[in-house]
């Protein structure tokens, strides 16, 4: 079942809503859509969970206004979805850019019904280097990405996909994954890259007061595994599971292990 939910006047986001039971809300990464969680959507409802996949504004089937691609606005959109669906005792999962957005949601909206947090290859707490945080890309590296998006978006996203995986994926899979990225609206893709470059979510970590599962690929070239040490230190009740055979795309490279770890965590 799909819902269109108005998150602000004249802006609606699309939400896939499958199964029954404890709600599991999934927030996708840059620059794809909720469809990246295909192998969670087909598995987790079998175990008595309700899969809720949000297409962030600008992506998938959601509206794409010119502005609002900062983490505060994206987190507000998540809050609008959670409120409209009247969710209770929900788990929130964020992949890559979806990770810091999920954390910002918990920081900004204290009246939330989230009882567990899952971070998958999260671009958190900061995607780029800054003072006392030597991890990730330099801001100039994201400037290069933005410049290439403006010149040759398909070429840039194909190169990005090439960095995404540690394992060899099939040609058909790589074509599908590129297409998923190309469904993102061009201006949303650029503005979200600017948010990834500029946002610093380190202060948000202290606002996470729920049990948190951190899943991260050891060979991640996009969100380095070093991020997890900062997350683990900053989130009081957190558990880290390393994925030895994955890059950034752990949900595709070690799908069965991802699903098993999520189910084990939800049942604790």
């Amino acid at each position: 079942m799909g819902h269109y939910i108005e998150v602000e006047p004249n802006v609606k986001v699309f939400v896939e809503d499958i199964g029954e039971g404890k709600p599991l809300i999934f927030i996708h990464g840059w620059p794809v859509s909720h469809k990246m969680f295909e192998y969670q959507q087909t598995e987790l409802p079998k175990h008595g969970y309700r899969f809720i996949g949000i297409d962030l504004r600008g992506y998938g089937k959601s509206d794409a206004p010119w502005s609002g691609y900062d983490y505060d606005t994206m987190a507000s959109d998540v809050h609008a979805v959670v409120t409209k669906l009247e969710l209770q005792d929900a788990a929130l999962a964020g992949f890559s850019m979806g990770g810091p957005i999920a954390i910002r949601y918990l920081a900004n909206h204290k009246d939330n019904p989230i009882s567990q947090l899952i971070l998958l290859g999260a671009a958190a707490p900061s995607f780029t280097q800054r003072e006392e945080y030597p991890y990730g890309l330099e801001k100039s590296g994201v400037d290069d990405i933005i410049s290439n998006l403006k010149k040759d978006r398909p070429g840039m996203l194909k190169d990005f996909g090439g960095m995404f995986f540690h394992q060899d994926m099939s040609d058909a899979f790589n074509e599908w994954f590129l297409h998923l990225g190309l469904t993102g609206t061009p201006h949303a893709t650029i503005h979200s890259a600017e948010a990834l470059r500029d946002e610093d979510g380190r202060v948000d970590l202290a606002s996470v007061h729920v049990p948190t599962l951190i899943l991260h690929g050891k060979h991640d070239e996009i969100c380095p595994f070093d991020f997890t040490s900062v997350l683990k230190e900053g989130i009081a009740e957190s558990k880290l599971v390393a994925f030895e055979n994955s890059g950034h795309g752990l949900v595709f490279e070690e799908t069965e292990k991802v699903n098993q770890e999520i189910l084990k965590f939800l049942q604790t």
Side-chain angles (χ1 to χ4, degrees):
M1 180 189 301
H3 307 279
Y4 278 97
I5 292 175
E6 190 168 65
V7 293
E8 64 183 42
N10 301 314
V11 178
K12 294 180 179 178
V13 299
F14 179 79
V15 180
E16 191 85 70
D17 192 346
I18 303 292
E20 297 178 353
K22 179 184 174 83
L24 308 183
I25 308 158
F26 284 85
I27 306 175
H28 63 81
W30 180 93
V32 290
S33 72
H34 86 276
K35 289 185 179 294
M36 69 158 290
F37 297 114
E38 174 177 339
Y39 304 114
Q40 286 67 55
Q41 180 179 324
T42 54
E43 183 64 24
L44 298 177
K46 293 194 300 190
H47 299 271
Y49 294 99
R50 178 181 172 189
F51 173 93
I52 297 171
I54 301 174
D55 281 349
L56 295 169
R57 61 169 63 203
Y59 300 95
K61 296 180 180 179
S62 291
D63 288 345
W66 177 251
S67 60
Y69 299 96
D70 57 282
Y71 291 174
D72 283 343
T73 305
M74 295 283 218
S76 178
D77 290 350
V78 172
H79 183 64
V81 170
V82 169
T83 302
K84 178 68 175 180
L85 295 181
E86 299 180 344
L87 301 179
Q88 298 295 325
D89 184 28
L92 180 63
F95 172 81
S96 196
M97 181 180 75
I101 291 170
I103 295 169
R104 182 66 58 84
Y105 163 66
L106 296 180
N108 286 1
H109 301 276
K110 308 293 188 185
D111 57 336
N112 66 75
I114 304 304
S115 57
Q116 292 170 295
L117 176 67
I118 302 166
L119 300 173
L120 303 128
S126 171
F127 182 64
T128 52
Q129 298 175 20
R130 50 199 73 228
E131 190 175 345
E132 297 182 3
Y133 186 87
Y135 313 117
L137 288 176
E138 294 184 9
K139 288 189 175 185
S140 61
V142 183
D143 290 336
D144 291 341
I145 289 172
I146 293 168
S147 177
N148 289 328
L149 285 169
K150 292 177 178 178
K151 291 176 190 168
D152 179 0
R153 188 168 64 105
M156 186 274 135
L157 294 181
K158 184 175 182 180
D159 291 343
F160 179 74
M163 296 173 58
F164 213 85
F165 305 103
H166 175 63
Q167 299 183 30
D168 290 332
M169 313 300 284
S170 70
D171 290 343
F173 179 91
N174 287 326
E175 288 177 19
W176 170 79
F177 192 69
L178 173 60
H179 171 74
L180 205 58
L182 287 170
T183 61
T185 308
H187 65 266
T189 304
I190 292 168
H191 293 163
S192 294
E194 292 170 347
L196 281 163
R197 179 193 65 197
D198 297 338
E199 296 267 9
D200 183 356
R202 286 178 291 176
V203 70
D204 297 333
L205 299 182
S207 297
V208 180
H209 302 299
V210 295
T212 300
L213 178 65
I214 303 167
L215 307 180
H216 214 105
K218 288 295 289 284
H219 305 279
D220 197 325
E221 295 181 27
I222 292 170
C223 294
F225 192 77
D226 291 331
F227 287 6
T228 63
S229 62
V230 186
L231 292 172
K232 191 84 177 63
E233 184 179 345
I235 298 175
E237 199 176 343
S238 57
K239 175 191 176 185
L240 169 64
V241 178
F243 283 68
E244 301 289 342
N245 300 309
S246 291
H248 195 48
L250 70 164
V251 296
F252 304 111
E253 296 180 272
E254 295 184 77
T255 308
E256 190 173 334
K257 182 179 177 182
V258 166
N259 289 343
Q260 286 174 348
E261 291 292 346
I262 289 175
L263 287 168
K264 188 167 38 170
F265 175 65
L266 293 172
Q267 291 159 7
T268 56

